[in-house]
């Protein structure tokens, strides 16, 4: 206390030139409980001598009687003006001492420099280290008007005291907690923008993005009102007790029930030249599609059809088999049951569809036509979801269960038709068969899907398995009956790992599958004959993608595939092809094929308005015992943003595929490599306009020359392979060109719709005969002829709107000009040839002079009603395909047979048409 004593004595002997401030009493900082903290008034300081002198003068210190030190008084220099407090810094009572009730004072010695800042703090006395720390921390924040000596600022040491008083105990108020989650009524979907209004709270409280909330309220009665965009306001009355924690679930009724709510689209920027992306109600609510997503593709620009209702898309003048179908990257042989039925995947299993009519991304290969890709929905992790549906021909179910504790999600779905039961009932009523002893008609289909997804660290492991079965023919209704059926069955299992890697995303997996397509004969309900194509596939793949910057992104990948194919021809237990069998590519394509690919695609933005997407794909095709084919496929797409609304686009690419036979048939995909590869170029350009209201306009023009085409009908393949030998070159050339227009209003504001028009010309170079007037062949010529699948003009218009009262009305209008009557998939145009004697006959016209089948149009309609309950929804619908009751002419029957009202023996042609009117009444409930 030596220096302090000197200062105190000096203060007592020397009046201060300036009156010091009186002691202050301070409260604690807001983060702490209140405490009484005061500080002592600084006494008259001792001046710090010049640099050559010590900080404070000292004198000899004689001993006191008790052996302690006695201070020696020292004069304070004349002209010294002490510092004055300029910036206060109250100390905070330590939180750890509040329960102890400790009071006390901490005496400090402060070194205040010539600028008035606290340069050093020394502790002279303190009752507790925590109080010392609080006092020192506060003192360092003090600021003074500096002391002066003869008018010059000087550094001085001064005493400074903090007095600490423990805060009185604060009684906790009576409170209660109300917490829970806000969800949509019916669907139980999370509402991310919900706001809760309670009178006891000064301001509304927004819920968290996942819909959860927690409110601290006084006990008693409270009215909680919840609001959210696009949902009706709803209020709830709650009674809370002291210290109660009440969990609640609030459900708001949407203004518009799913699936007609506005969809917020956060998809990546488009880089393809031609593509259409569909989701939500655009997949499941289009009139005439019976609620099946893939049927919507038949209404897209650039798509023609084999026949009305037959769901095999003919894309830009190619065979149906030239278009690839994919479920989340896994290729499948078909999209629909029995070509006329629903799609092979439950609608709830799909989140969206990407349709590329031309120049698809580099990850798709071995195709000359378009690509239809169904995107599997991501598993929900917030709730159990279940959907059940039933209509006139099938029933389906969908169940999704997340297991939060383990990070697992399990999804199961499937559908089963009961058309067989209906046909059997019709047969028993005498409607479907002439005699009770006749076999009954059979048209059965089923499908299944299963997914298990597991989070492991930052990655995900997913097992996806799905398959479908179709059986069409006759079924036994009694003993000793001979029946036959056509079956198409396939299965797929895909195990995939997805993992962040090197600032990008890596995925790898293995896919296995089997395909069976064929005709089967049964006697007494036992298989006695078979003619089937069988194939087993194993595919391993890996890919990695990364965005290096806003200007550059890259995706690379590769895959290896092994196919084992065989044709079975059996009569009873005897395999007719054992020992080698025939060389016919249809009857005995015993084949092993290996396929490999490497591909890469970049997204490069050299300037703000430009997007360039170069790609390269390299495919290898190897038929065991045959040749090795190497197929490089450079591709490029360019987009230029002309303005905020307009975009210009263009692209080109080289493409290859194995020979095709109308639709994808197992075995032929491998054995057809004997005839080499098909090769084609694709060129496309166009423009897009997107308005602020969401309206989209697009125009595309394309030219696709076929450098080498090997497209077979079954008849031509068997005839050529037998007559000319499989070593003959069965290839040809051709081209397709046209343009497509589309105006589209995507899902939003309670409606969606589009209008599309496609103009297509497609030709192939063929050899055909010229005939004389009497029908005798005169020569064989070669030249371009209209492709068998060409539909020159196709117009589609679709509109669906949800009315008040949760009624939905929609209609689709379709019109197409007829295909050529070329004889390849229909009849051949014929003319009457006669002689002077009056003899006549129908003779086919020359191939380049065939007629076109008549133009066909139809109207589809849909009406639906939705009901919303607290936790589930119900929809009843009537979807009517061809409500216009129009018949499409698929060909003609040239005959002279007698018909009522006709002269016997007179030539006439009779239209072949199938009345296809499908009213589909159904119910769908979703939890």
């Amino acid at each position: 206390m030596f220096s302090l004593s000197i200062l105190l004595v000096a203060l007592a002997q020397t009046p201060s030139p300036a009156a010091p401030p009186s002691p202050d009493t301070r409260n604690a900082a807001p983060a702490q409980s209140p405490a009484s903290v005061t500080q002592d008034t600084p006494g008259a300081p001792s001046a710090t001598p010049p640099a050559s002198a010590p900080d404070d003068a000292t004198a000899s210190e004689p001993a006191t009687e008790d052996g302690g030190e006695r201070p020696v008084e020292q004069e304070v220099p004349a002209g010294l003006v002490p510092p004055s407090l300029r910036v206060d810094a109250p100390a905070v009572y330590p939180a750890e001492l509040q329960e102890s009730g400790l009071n006390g004072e901490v005496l400090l010695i402060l070194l205040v420099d010539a600028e008035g800042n606290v340069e050093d703090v020394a502790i002279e006395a303190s009752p507790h280290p925590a109080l010392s720390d609080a006092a020192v921390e506060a003192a360092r924040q003090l600021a003074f008007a500096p002391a002066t000596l003869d008018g010059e600022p000087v550094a001085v040491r001064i005493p400074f005291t903090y007095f600490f008083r423990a805060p009185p105990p604060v009684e906790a108020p009576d409170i209660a907690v109300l917490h829970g989650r806000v969800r949509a009524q019916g669907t139980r979907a999370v509402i991310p923008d919900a706001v809760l209004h309670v009178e006891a709270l000064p301001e509304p409280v927004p819920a968290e993005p996942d819909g959860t909330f927690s409110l601290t309220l006084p006990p008693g009665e409270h009215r909680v009102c919840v609001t959210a965009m696009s949902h009706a306001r709803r209020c709830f009355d709650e009674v809370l007790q002291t210290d109660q924690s009440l969990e609640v679930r609030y459900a708001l009724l949407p203004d518009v029930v799913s699936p007609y709510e506005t969809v917020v689209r956060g998809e990546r920027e488009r880089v393809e030249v031609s593509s259409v992306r569909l989701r939500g109600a655009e997949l499941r609510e289009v009139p005439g599609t019976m609620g099946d997503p893939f049927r919507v593709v038949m209404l897209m620009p650039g798509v023609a059809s084999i026949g009305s209702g037959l769901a095999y898309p003919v894309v830009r003048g190619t065979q149906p088999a030239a278009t690839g179908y994919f479920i989340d990257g896994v290729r499948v042989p078909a999209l629909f049951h029995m070509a006329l039925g629903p799609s092979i995947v439950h609608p709830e299993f799909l989140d969206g569809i990407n349709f590329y009519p031309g120049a698809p991304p580099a990850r798709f290969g071995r195709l000359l036509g378009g690509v239809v890709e169904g995107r599997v929905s991501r598993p929900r992790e917030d709730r159990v979801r279940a959907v059940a549906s039933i209509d006139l021909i099938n029933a389906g179910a969908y169940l999704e269960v997340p297991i939060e504790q383990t990070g697992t999600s399990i999804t199961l779905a499937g559908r089963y038709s009961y058309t067989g039961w209906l046909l059997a009932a019709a047969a028993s009523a005498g409607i479907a068969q002439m005699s009770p002893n006749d076999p009954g008609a059979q048209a059965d289909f089923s499908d299944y899907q299963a997914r298990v997804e597991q989070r492991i660290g930052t990655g995900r492991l997913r097992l996806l398995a799905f398959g479908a079965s179709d059986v069409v023919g006759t079924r036994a209704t009694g003993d000793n009956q001979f029946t036959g059926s056509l079956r198409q069955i396939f299965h797929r299992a895909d195990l995939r790992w997805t993992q962040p890697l090197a600032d990008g995303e890596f995925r790898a997996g293995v896919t296995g599958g089997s395909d069976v397509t064929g005709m089967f004969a049964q006697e007494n309900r036992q298989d006695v004959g078979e003619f089937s194509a069988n194939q087993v596939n194993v595919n391993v793949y890996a890919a990695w993608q990364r965005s290096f910057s806003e200007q550059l992104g890259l995706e690379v990948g590769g895959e290896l595939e092994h196919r084992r194919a065989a044709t079975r021809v059996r009569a009873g237990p005897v395999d007719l092809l054992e020992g080698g069998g025939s060389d016919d590519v249809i009857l005995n394509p015993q084949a092993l094929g290996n396929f490999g690919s490497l591909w890469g695609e970049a997204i490069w933005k050299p300037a703000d308005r430009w997007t360039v997407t170069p790609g390269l794909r390299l495919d290898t095709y190897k038929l065991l015992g045959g040749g090795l084919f190497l197929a490089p496929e450079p591709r490029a797409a360019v987009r230029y943003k002309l303005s905020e609304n307009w975009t210009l686009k263009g692209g080109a690419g080289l493409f290859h595929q194995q020979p095709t036979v109308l639709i994808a048939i197992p075995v032929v995909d491998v054995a057809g490599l004997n005839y080499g590869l098909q090769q084609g170029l694709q060129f496309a350009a166009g423009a897009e306009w997107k308005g602020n209201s969401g309206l989209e306009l697009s125009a595309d023009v394309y030219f696709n020359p076929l450098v080498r085409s090997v497209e077979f009908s079954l008849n031509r393949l068997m005839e050529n392979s037998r007559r000319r030998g499989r070593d003959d070159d069965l290839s040809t050339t051709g081209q397709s060109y046209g343009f497509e227009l589309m105006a589209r209003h995507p899902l939003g504001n309670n409606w969606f719709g589009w209008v599309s028009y496609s103009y297509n010309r497609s030709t192939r170079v063929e050899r055909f005969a010229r005939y004389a007037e009497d029908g005798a062949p005169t020569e064989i010529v070669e030249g371009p002829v209209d492709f068998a699948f060409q539909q020159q003009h196709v117009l589609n218009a679709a509109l669906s709107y949800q009315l008040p009262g949760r009624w939905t009305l929609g209609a689709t209008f379709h019109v197409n000009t007829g295909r050529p009557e070329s004889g390849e998939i229909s009849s051949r145009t014929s003319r009457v040839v006669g002689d002077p004697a009056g003899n006549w006959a129908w003779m086919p016209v020359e191939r380049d002079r065939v007629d076109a089948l008549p133009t066909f149009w139809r109207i589809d309609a849909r009406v639906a009603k939705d009901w919303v309950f607290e936790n589930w929804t119900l929809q009843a619908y009537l979807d009517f395909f061809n409500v216009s009751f129009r018949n499409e002419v698929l060909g003609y029957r040239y005959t002279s047979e007698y018909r009522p009202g006709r002269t016997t023996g007179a030539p006439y042609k009779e239209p072949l048409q199938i009345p296809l009117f499908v009213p589909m009444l159904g119910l769908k409930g979703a939890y």
Side-chain angles (χ1 to χ4, degrees):
M1 295 292 292
F2 174 69
S3 298
L4 178 60
S5 298
I6 292 177
L7 295 175
L8 293 177
V9 172
L11 180 62
Q13 294 180 350
T14 307
S16 174
S22 59
D24 295 333
T25 301
R26 297 173 177 83
N27 291 328
Q32 305 289 341
S33 299
S36 174
V37 182
T38 63
Q39 64 187 32
D40 193 14
T41 304
S46 59
T48 301
S52 58
D55 284 345
D56 48 6
T58 60
S60 59
E61 301 176 356
T64 60
E65 294 180 356
D66 58 2
E69 297 177 347
R70 182 184 303 278
V72 177
E73 297 179 0
Q74 180 177 350
E75 293 292 332
V76 176
L80 176 67
V81 179
S84 60
L85 187 64
R86 181 169 56 85
V87 178
D88 194 6
V92 178
Y93 192 89
E96 62 268 31
L97 297 181
Q98 289 184 6
E99 294 184 1
S100 67
L102 177 65
N103 297 327
E105 58 187 58
V106 178
L107 178 60
L108 307 174
I109 298 298
L110 310 181
L111 174 57
V112 181
D113 62 18
E115 296 180 354
N117 299 320
V118 176
E119 186 175 325
D120 185 46
V121 180
I123 301 174
E124 283 290 300
S126 174
H128 195 280
L131 297 178
S132 301
D133 294 342
V136 170
E137 181 179 358
R140 294 186 184 279
Q141 309 304 317
L142 296 169
F144 296 85
T148 59
L149 181 61
D150 296 331
E152 295 293 329
V154 293
V156 296
R157 294 183 184 275
I158 61 171
F160 204 90
T161 303
Y162 278 102
F163 295 91
F164 290 89
R165 298 289 182 267
V170 178
E171 294 185 2
D174 293 337
I175 60 172
V177 176
L178 179 70
H179 62 96
R181 174 170 286 175
V182 181
R183 289 181 171 177
Q185 184 175 338
T187 65
R188 299 174 297 122
V190 169
I191 302 178
D193 59 351
V195 178
L196 295 95
H197 306 260
V198 186
E199 289 186 2
L201 299 178
E203 296 180 352
V205 178
E208 298 296 327
D210 62 354
T212 59
F213 64 88
S214 181
L215 306 177
T216 300
L217 300 170
E221 297 182 359
H222 296 278
R223 168 156 285 226
V224 181
C225 294
V226 188
T227 60
M229 291 182 60
S230 303
H231 291 76
R233 175 187 174 97
R234 191 174 180 185
C235 295
F236 306 86
D237 293 320
E238 307 291 355
V239 178
L240 302 178
Q241 306 297 327
T242 301
D243 297 331
Q244 181 185 14
S245 179
L246 179 63
E247 183 174 1
V248 295
R249 292 287 183 270
Y250 293 152
L252 302 185
L253 183 65
D255 293 340
V256 179
V257 178
S258 178
Y260 280 79
E261 72 272 16
T262 297
V263 174
V264 179
R265 298 173 181 267
E267 298 180 345
R268 63 178 178 86
E269 179 184 357
R270 293 186 179 181
V271 297
E272 303 85 8
V273 180
S274 301
S275 66
V276 180
R277 298 172 185 169
L278 303 169
R279 61 185 302 178
E282 295 172 310
L283 298 178
R284 306 181 184 95
E285 306 294 325
V286 177
T289 64
M290 295 173 282
D292 279 293
F294 287 120
R295 281 194 168 272
V296 184
V297 175
M298 303 303 298
L299 301 174
M300 292 291 100
V303 177
S305 63
I306 301 176
S308 184
L310 292 176
Y312 284 111
V314 178
V315 180
R316 288 185 176 177
T318 59
Q319 272 197 344
T323 295
Y325 313 133
F326 296 84
I327 305 296
D328 223 30
V330 179
R331 191 165 181 179
V332 295
L335 291 178
F336 305 94
H337 290 290
M338 301 181 295
L340 290 170
S343 60
I344 51 93
V345 176
H346 195 288
E348 296 296 328
F349 222 83
L350 296 177
D351 175 64
I353 286 180
N354 293 335
F355 172 55
Y356 306 97
R363 68 179 183 274
F364 298 109
R366 305 187 206 124
L367 294 167
L368 282 178
V371 167
V372 181
E373 179 190 26
R375 302 195 312 268
V376 174
S377 60
R378 288 294 303 271
R380 295 175 176 84
E381 299 180 351
D382 60 335
R383 66 190 189 276
V384 174
R385 176 169 171 78
V387 178
S389 61
I390 185 171
D391 58 33
L392 296 180
I393 63 172
N394 76 104
Y398 175 90
L399 176 64
E400 187 173 15
V401 180
I403 306 175
E404 185 177 356
Q405 295 83 351
T406 61
T408 309
S409 177
I410 301 174
T411 308
L412 301 173
R415 288 181 293 189
Y416 186 80
S417 74
Y418 34 81
T419 50
W421 302 343
L422 297 177
L423 292 173
S428 64
I431 300 174
Q433 61 185 31
M434 298 299 296
S435 168
N437 296 323
D438 291 340
Q442 182 179 19
D444 295 332
F445 65 83
S446 62
D447 59 63
Y448 68 91
Q449 302 89 46
R451 176 182 60 193
V452 179
E453 187 159 330
Q454 176 66 52
R455 293 197 308 267
I456 303 176
T458 58
R460 286 178 176 266
L461 182 65
R462 188 196 73 179
L463 175 62
L464 174 65
F466 59 97
S469 173
D470 297 327
V471 181
V472 180
T474 57
R475 70 165 69 236
T477 58
D479 296 332
N480 301 319
Q481 289 182 337
F482 187 84
T483 58
S485 60
L486 174 65
R487 303 175 189 174
Q488 180 173 4
I489 303 170
F490 79 87
H491 304 278
R492 294 291 186 272
D494 177 65
L495 182 64
R496 179 176 302 180
W497 172 255
T498 305
Q499 172 73 43
L501 178 66
D503 297 326
E505 183 181 77
F506 172 77
R507 66 181 183 274
V510 56
T511 304
S514 66
D515 301 76
V516 176
T517 299
M519 295 179 288
F520 296 80
Q522 300 87 33
E523 186 174 7
N524 200 23
R525 297 185 176 90
Q526 300 295 323
D527 286 342
V528 295
E530 176 183 355
F531 174 31
S532 65
N534 301 266
Q535 186 167 285
V536 175
N537 312 321
V538 178
N539 181 31
V540 294
Y541 59 90
W544 176 76
Q545 62 180 6
R546 176 184 172 183
S547 294
F548 293 91
S549 65
E550 293 184 358
Q551 289 74 38
L552 181 63
L554 178 67
E555 185 172 9
V556 295
E559 64 175 342
L560 293 173
E561 183 176 3
H562 177 67
R563 299 184 188 177
R564 306 177 66 88
T567 296
R568 290 181 180 176
V569 180
R570 296 178 181 271
V574 180
D575 189 340
L576 300 183
L577 294 183
E578 290 182 348
S582 168
D583 289 333
D584 194 313
V585 72
I586 292 297
L587 296 180
N588 187 26
Q590 305 291 337
L592 297 176
N594 293 316
F595 305 84
S597 66
L598 294 173
W599 53 269
E601 189 172 70
I603 301 177
W604 177 42
K605 295 185 177 181
D608 290 341
R609 294 179 179 269
W610 289 92
T611 301
V612 182
T613 310
L616 177 63
R617 182 181 178 95
L618 180 64
D619 282 293
T620 61
Y621 302 76
K622 174 60 179 174
L623 177 64
L624 189 65
L628 172 65
F629 301 95
L630 184 64
E633 296 184 352
R635 310 178 188 183
V638 178
R639 297 175 70 91
Y640 176 71
K641 197 171 183 61
L642 191 63
S643 66
E644 187 64 28
N645 302 104
W646 282 99
T647 300
L648 303 180
K649 55 187 181 177
L654 176 64
F655 300 86
H656 298 82
Q657 187 173 2
Q658 307 100 293
T660 51
V661 183
L662 185 60
I663 61 175
I665 298 178
V667 181
V668 177
D669 284 349
V670 179
L673 285 174
N674 274 332
Y675 298 95
L677 294 180
Q678 300 186 90
Q679 185 181 80
L681 295 166
Q682 294 187 13
F683 302 94
E688 296 174 355
W689 179 86
K690 187 172 183 179
N692 297 330
S693 63
L695 180 64
E696 299 175 2
L697 304 177
S698 65
D700 295 271
V701 59
Y702 63 90
F703 173 60
N704 298 342
L706 276 171
V707 180
R708 187 173 190 270
S709 170
V710 189
E711 300 169 312
F712 296 119
S713 66
L714 294 179
N715 289 337
R716 180 183 173 188
L717 180 61
M718 297 181 71
E719 289 174 0
N720 280 280
S721 61
R722 290 195 177 110
R723 184 177 66 243
R724 301 169 59 186
R726 69 179 182 183
D727 294 330
D728 287 348
D729 185 6
L730 305 182
S731 66
T732 185
T733 60
Q735 63 181 11
S736 64
Y737 57 90
F739 64 89
E740 300 154 3
L741 305 174
M742 186 174 189
R744 177 187 177 198
H745 184 281
L747 186 63
N749 299 325
N750 297 351
W751 73 285
F752 69 87
W754 64 80
V755 177
S756 68
Y757 168 75
S758 303
Y759 172 83
N760 173 260
R761 288 300 307 275
S762 183
T763 62
R764 300 293 185 271
V765 175
E766 293 186 6
R767 298 181 67 195
F768 54 91
R770 293 289 186 197
Y771 299 99
E773 286 297 323
D774 61 358
T778 59
E779 62 176 332
I780 301 296
V781 298
E782 186 173 78
V785 297
D786 288 341
F787 186 47
F789 294 97
Q790 174 185 276
Q791 288 179 333
Q792 193 166 337
H793 304 277
V794 179
L795 174 69
N796 293 298
L799 175 65
S800 192
Y801 191 87
Q802 188 172 65
L803 302 170
R806 310 196 190 285
W807 284 93
T808 301
L809 297 178
T812 297
F813 176 71
H814 168 86
V815 59
N816 63 262
T817 53
R819 293 177 287 99
E821 192 189 358
S822 61
E824 296 176 75
I825 55 174
S826 64
S827 60
R828 176 72 170 266
T829 303
S830 298
R831 62 188 177 92
V832 176
V833 176
D835 57 24
N839 299 315
W840 64 270
W842 286 107
M843 294 295 295
V845 302
E846 297 163 351
R847 178 63 180 84
D848 60 344
R849 297 176 183 175
V850 299
D851 295 333
L853 294 172
T855 297
F856 170 75
W857 63 268
R858 75 169 194 273
I859 297 175
D860 308 325
R862 179 184 173 90
V863 58
K865 167 65 176 176
D866 291 284
W867 292 270
V868 181
F869 303 94
E870 189 69 18
N871 293 316
W872 65 289
T873 62
L874 178 66
Q875 182 185 78
Y877 62 89
L878 175 62
D879 197 325
F880 207 128
F881 178 85
N882 195 10
V883 71
S884 51
F885 293 95
R886 299 281 299 177
N887 291 339
E888 183 176 15
V889 177
L890 303 177
Y892 289 96
R893 183 170 178 263
Y894 294 89
T895 182
S896 60
E897 294 178 2
Y898 171 77
R899 289 288 188 276
R902 298 185 184 275
T903 303
T904 303
Y908 68 94
K909 63 178 185 180
E910 180 181 21
L912 301 176
Q913 49 193 355
I914 300 175
L916 189 61
F917 319 115
V918 184
M920 191 58 63
L921 179 65
L923 288 173
K924 182 175 74 171
Y927 168 76

